[in-house]
Structure formats: structure tokens, C-alpha cells
Amino acid sequence: MTRQQAVDTRELRARYPDVFDRPASARLATPAMIVAAFAILVYGLVDLDFSPSRFFAGLNQLGWITLMMIPPDPGSSLPVYLKALGETLSIALLGTTLAAVFALPVSLLAARNIVPSKLLRFPVRRFLDSIRGVDTLIWALVWINVVGLGPFAGVLAIAVSDFGAFGKLFSEAIEGADQKQVEGIRASGGSALHEIRFGLMPQVLPVIAGQVLYFIESNTRSATIIGIVGAGGIGLQLAEQIRVLEWQKVSFLILMILVAVAAIDFISGKLRFAIIGRRAVA
Amino acid sequence: MTTAVSILPEQQLAVLNAAYRQAVGRRRLRLLLGMAVFAAALALAAVGAEVNLRTLFTHFGNFLSYFDRIFTLDSGQRVWTDAGEWLWGWRKWLTMLGETLLISYVGTLIGAILAFCLNFFAAENTSPAPWLRFVVRRLLEFARTVPGIVFALIFVIAFGLGPMAGVLAIAIHSTGALGKLFSEIVENADMKPVEGVRSTGASWLSCMRFAIVPQVTAGYASYALLRFEINVREASVMGFVGAGGIGQELVVAIRKFYYSDVSAILLTIIVTVFIIDISTGWLRGRLFGREART
């Protein structure tokens, strides 16, 4: 039998002043943040010309567009679309591979355990950051100026913008690697190159392979849109059909993209498990 | 200290060696086959993407000289020698950049609110009905697989040119991306508080409000901030299709070969993205401690 203890509120209050009498600043912090967030939201809506009438007119329009999209129908251009889809997949695969090949040596330079000097690492990291800060679409526009319109510009755009992302991810993977193997190789008299080749790479490669596969998957998505600025692939067809208001073709193209992305998801998921094992992915 | 190493008899050793070689050989063969398939896929892709190394090599000079050109003013001097001339349009560009930031902020917040409303239906442990969960999941999947800029293209036609289309496109894309991440956080939440609340006879809504939400808000906010970062980058190109923001200026400058303007606008975008990355990273660290950053 336990005895019910009478709760002495006053004593509790005296003992835990932080719980019962929180200062007003602490109690008001969360509501103040929420109010501020919504104030900026309202300001944004006003500044960006959101008017309810325009919104509902647009929704109405969107409803019509959706109705006109049904049923999805490629018309007579199915072969063109399939070719464009193949182009998109090629762009994603080649672009990602190129990026990975070039990013690997650079990521070594950006890793703390390989280049201990902060002075040397800093410019490499900022260089990678600037490449990453520019969107793939902008890179596509730049490459179109260089090699002309077409999927090749898309490959180069994806390669450059992923180079920035991979450089960062790979260097993080390298920094996360276990140093014991490296030390073992150094102890047996290996050179710096041996340390990297036999101490680091066996640990890092599976992680990198997983990331590359993941990027091929996500680049299928980016590759679908770089066509919008003229860098080849299915985005070109999509943008064109939207501009000429061929809604049935648009919905068919969107469906094609969805199916392609789902298929790539499935395949690369299987491959990732095969390369690095089920546990490492999760 | 010496330890005895047992040496196996010759015959037994031969069998083990053979087995080892076979195992290694099989692994090597598999690797080789994988590489061959990969190489074949690359070759096929090279044909598909019309890769032309000759164009690349003959025009690669163009790529380098492009950077040369965008860093040169009309007067033929390097851009950094005359910052006033280089950044002549900074007032206009900063306004456009502000619009870009506002587009991503409003889009992210609307997306986060929608994702917050939907994610409890998508999570395995809190969804009231399996069919509802299925429907919501497919909806979120659709919203995140269709690229934001495709939504923007369609919305520009429905809502007219301007930032409204950009905001809605970003909001929908963020709903899909955040909805998935949010529901994963909910799936990792501790269910004991839910049982506790339910045992007092509370409704589903109260269970969510008093048992789940207090556990997950930190994770939600962290992911929403991360999304804001990504959306700033995405909003910078929304203008390419007429959906507002700095992208509009950029695409005009690139298409009309206003070289020094291109570098100036790119500089403002990169600096803004840096500032946003650093400040949201700081904010996340501040609000949720270092470990919540990833």
C-alpha cells in the first residue's frame, strides 16, 4: 500500500521556480516566432501580388487544364517522346559519371584527414560551394553558349553542377573513414598514395558508389527539366507542348517521366543493396 | 611469447587454396561483368546524348573564354577594377533578389503547413485508415516527382506571369518533399505517449496534438529550414519560365550577351545562397543543438 501524498503546491512552486514561473521572455518566445513567421508570410503575399480573385480565377483555369489533360494521349509523336526519354536517361547517366570521375580527386583535396592545412582546404571548399550555389539550369544556359543547343550541353551542365555536390559529399565520406587502416599502412612504410589507395579507398568506395547511384536517380529528375532551356531531353518536348497548350500530350509526358523515375528508383535501389548491403543503406 | 601456428598438411591446404581462388575469381568475374555492363551503358548513353568530343575540344576554348568575357566590362577592363560600373544595377537586382527570397519563403511556409496537415495521414503509425494513407502517399509522391519548374510552367499559364506561379510551384513541390520527411519523423516517434493519451479517452486529433507534435516539432523545423535553403536555389531559376524573381534578369542577360551583367547577377545569387546556407545552418544549430543539423 502506498500512501497518497498530499501535494503541497506552494512548496512545489518554491522548489521549482523555473517550471512554474518561467520568465515572460521564455514563455513568449515561441508565440512571438510564430507570429513573426506569419507576419512575413502575409507581407510576402501582399508584396507578391496575391489576390484572392486572381487565385480563384487561376484555380478555375487549372481545373479546365486538368480536365483537358484527360485522357493522356501522345498523338502520333510517341517515337519522338521515347527518343527524348532515352536522351534524358543518357544525360543523367553520363553527367553523373563524369561528375563522379572528376570529383573524386578534388574531394581528396577538400578532406580534413588528407589535407590538414586549412589554408589549402579553404579555397577548394569555397570553389566547390560556388559551383553548387549555381543551379543546374544556369549551367545549362552557359554550356548552350559553348557547345550549342542539344543534349550534350545537358550532359556538361549536369556534370558541372554535380561535381560541386559530389566534391562535398565525397570529402565528407573520406573524413568519416576510419584512420586505423591508414595508420597501419603508414607504419608498414607505405607512401601517401599507398595510404589513400589501400587504407582509404576500400572503406570509401562503397559509400561513394551508393551516392553516385542515388544521384543518377535524382538526376533523372533534373535532366527532365534542363530541356526547358534547350539542353535536350524530354523537358524540351514538355515545355513545347505546354507552350502550344497540347494538354493531352503534356499529361502523357508527365506520366512518362513519373514512370521512368519510378523505374530508375527501383533499379538503383536494388543495385545499391547489391553493392553496399542492405544495412549500410538504411 | 611464442604461439604455435599449426601448419596444415599439403593436401588439405591445396583444397582450401583452390576454394579460396575460386571464390576470389568469382568475385572478380562479377566485378568485371558489372564494369562491362556499365561501360556498355555509358557508350550507349554517349550515342543517345549526341556526345561529340570534337565539338567539346574545338569549343572548350569558348567555355574558358566565356568566363573571360563575363569578367570583362564593356570598356575592356576586368570587372573588379570598377565595381561601380560592374554592379551598376545593384538596386534593381537586390529588389529582384528580395523577391526571390520572398518567393522561396512563402512557398516553403505554405508547403510546410500543407505537409504538416498531411503527414499524419501518410505515416504508418498514425494514419487512421490504410486507404487514406495510400491516397495521401501517392499524392505526396506525385507532388515531389514532378519537377517544380514544370508546375511553374503550367501555373504561369493558369495564373498568369509573375511570382504567384513561382510561389505555388515551390509550395507544391515542398509539400511533396517535406510530407515524406515529416511522416518519416512521425514513424520514428515514440508511441507510448499516444497510448497514454488515448487511454484517457482522447480523440485522434488530441492524440496527435498532445502526444506526437511535441516530439516531432524540432525535426520538422529543421527539415523546413533545410528546404528553404534548397528553395532559394530553385526560386533563382523560376524566372526562366516567367515565374518571378532574379532568374528573369539572369536569363535576359545570358540570352542578350550582357556579359558583365551575367557575372554580377551570378555573384549576387551565389553570395545570397552562401548567406542563407550559413545563417540557416547557424539557426538550426542554435535551435536544436549540433546533432540535429543533419
Side-chain angles (χ1 to χ4, degrees), chain B residues 66-88:
Chain B
Y66 190 78
F67 286 95
D68 179 46
R69 271 173 282 161
I70 65 174
F71 287 121
T72 309
L73 290 173
D74 287 339
S75 59
Q77 282 187 306
R78 284 281 167 239
V79 282
W80 42 84
T81 56
D82 191 353
E85 176 68 23
W86 183 30
L87 301 170
W88 66 274

Side-chain angles (χ1 to χ4, degrees), chain A residues 113 173-183 195-209 276:
Chain A
N113 45 357
I174 292 169
E175 281 177 2
D178 195 346
Q179 282 295 303
K180 295 209 185 72
Q181 284 94 319
V182 177
E183 281 164 19
E195 282 170 27
I196 292 173
R197 165 67 186 84
F198 296 105
L200 216 53
M201 281 303 139
Q203 295 182 57
V204 172
L205 273 182
V207 180
I208 287 182
I276 53 180

Side-chain angles (χ1 to χ4, degrees), chain A residues 37 54-55 87 90 145-146 152 225, chain B residues 45 48 52 59 66 105 147 159:
Chain A
R54 220 179 120 199
F55 183 71
E87 239 175 60
S90 310
N145 274 328
V146 177
F152 191 30
I225 58 169
Chain B
N52 189 340
H59 294 287
Y66 190 78
Y105 177 82
F159 295 94

Side-chain angles (χ1 to χ4, degrees), chain B residues 196-236:
Chain B
V197 174
R198 194 182 302 141
S199 69
T200 65
S203 68
W204 181 83
L205 207 65
S206 321
C207 285
M208 296 300 114
R209 165 69 188 84
F210 294 104
I212 295 282
V213 169
Q215 292 186 56
V216 295
T217 34
Y220 282 6
S222 179
Y223 274 133
L225 277 174
L226 199 67
R227 192 73 224 169
F228 175 61
E229 246 174 79
I230 299 169
N231 282 347
V232 171
R233 244 164 271 183
E234 182 145 342
S236 71

